[in-house]
């Protein structure tokens, strides 16, 4: 980072206002470009030495670092906001698609069941059983996707209940959706 420094003492005849007799200007820059200047003034004529020059250059470097970090933080916040928006859009898409696929899937399975009640042909019953089996697997997958989207959206509450198992012991079961 190059820091340019201009220090000056104003002669009494220069007409400087408000009693300013000396001042300085320090450029603030980053590797990718110029940011601006930092200026100061004094009411006494001063001779600026090496210590003052180093101090002012240090201030300019610190300002440049702070500005760089603020820019990086802003970029990080923008990226995080975009990521969160993308995640919400994905969850909403999954929830909507799960509902959109579930409705026709239920219709297919319902009609397959109705056909199974009306036909006696063994081969047709076998085909209908395959449709029913595949439909149940697909519905389970759709329900899992919908559950995942509800979990991501924070719309699932767990409701713990005791249920009796085969050995008479209890185990926790249950889930209640907040849709």
């Amino acid at each position: 980072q190059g820091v340019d420094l201009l220090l000056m003492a104003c002669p009494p005849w220069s007409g400087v206002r408000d009693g300013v007799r000396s001042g300085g200007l320090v450029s603030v820059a980053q590797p990718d470009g110029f940011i601006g200047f930092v200026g100061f003034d004094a009411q006494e004529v001063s001779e600026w030495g090496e210590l003052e020059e180093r101090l002012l250059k240090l201030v300019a470097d610190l300002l440049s670092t702070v500005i760089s970090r603020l820019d990086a933080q802003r970029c990080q916040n923008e990226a995080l906001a975009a990521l969160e928006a993308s995640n919400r859009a994905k969850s909403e898409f999954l929830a909507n698609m799960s509902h959109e696929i579930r409705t026709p899937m239920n219709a297919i399975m319902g009609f397959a069941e109705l056909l199974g009640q009306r036909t006696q042909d063994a081969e047709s019953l076998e085909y209908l059983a395959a449709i029913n089996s595949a439909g149940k697997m697909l519905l389970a997958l759709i329900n899992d996707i919908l559950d995942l989207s509800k979990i991501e959206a924070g719309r699932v509450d767990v409701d713990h209940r005791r249920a009796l198992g085969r050995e008479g012991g209890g185990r926790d079961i249950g889930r209640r959706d907040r849709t």
Side-chain angles (χ1 to χ4, degrees):
Q1 297 178 14
V3 177
D4 294 324
L5 178 64
L6 171 64
L7 300 172
M8 63 189 156
C10 303
W13 64 86
S14 66
V16 177
R17 296 174 15 174
D18 298 325
V20 173
R21 298 286 184 214
S22 61
L25 200 57
V26 181
S27 67
V28 180
Q30 294 176 332
D32 59 344
F34 174 75
I35 297 173
F37 291 102
V38 174
F40 64 92
D41 55 330
Q43 292 184 347
E44 296 178 13
V45 176
S46 297
E47 292 296 323
W48 305 103
E50 184 180 330
L51 178 63
E52 289 86 4
E53 287 183 26
R54 286 190 0 232
L55 179 62
L56 292 172
K57 288 180 179 182
L58 178 63
V59 167
D61 285 342
L62 287 173
L63 285 172
S64 177
T65 300
V66 167
I67 291 169
S68 293
R69 287 185 181 173
L70 289 173
D71 284 346
Q73 183 66 43
R74 181 187 46 79
C75 289
Q76 183 180 10
N77 290 343
E78 289 173 0
L80 182 60
L83 180 63
E84 289 170 349
S86 174
N87 197 34
R88 278 191 306 275
K90 176 196 63 150
S91 294
E92 290 173 11
F93 173 78
L94 288 174
N96 290 337
M97 288 309 300
S98 296
H99 284 295
E100 295 298 323
I101 295 171
R102 183 186 294 170
T103 302
M105 193 69 235
N106 282 327
I108 291 168
M109 291 178 62
F111 282 119
E113 185 178 330
L114 288 174
L115 282 173
Q117 294 171 359
R118 293 184 175 200
T119 187
Q120 298 301 322
D121 178 44
E123 187 177 7
S124 295
L125 289 172
E126 189 177 317
Y127 292 150
L128 290 171
I131 290 172
N132 191 36
S133 175
K136 285 180 181 178
M137 287 190 299
L138 188 53
L139 265 180
L141 178 62
I142 292 168
N143 287 333
D144 288 345
I145 292 170
L146 183 58
D147 287 345
L148 176 63
S149 67
K150 285 181 180 180
I151 289 168
E152 288 181 345
R155 296 186 337 216
V156 173
D157 285 332
V158 176
D159 183 14
H160 293 282
R161 299 180 190 174
R162 301 294 285 173
L164 295 178
R166 291 185 188 177
E167 294 84 31
R171 64 182 181 95
D172 290 336
I173 63 167
R175 182 189 77 224
R176 184 181 65 211
D177 296 337
R178 289 191 262 162
T179 50

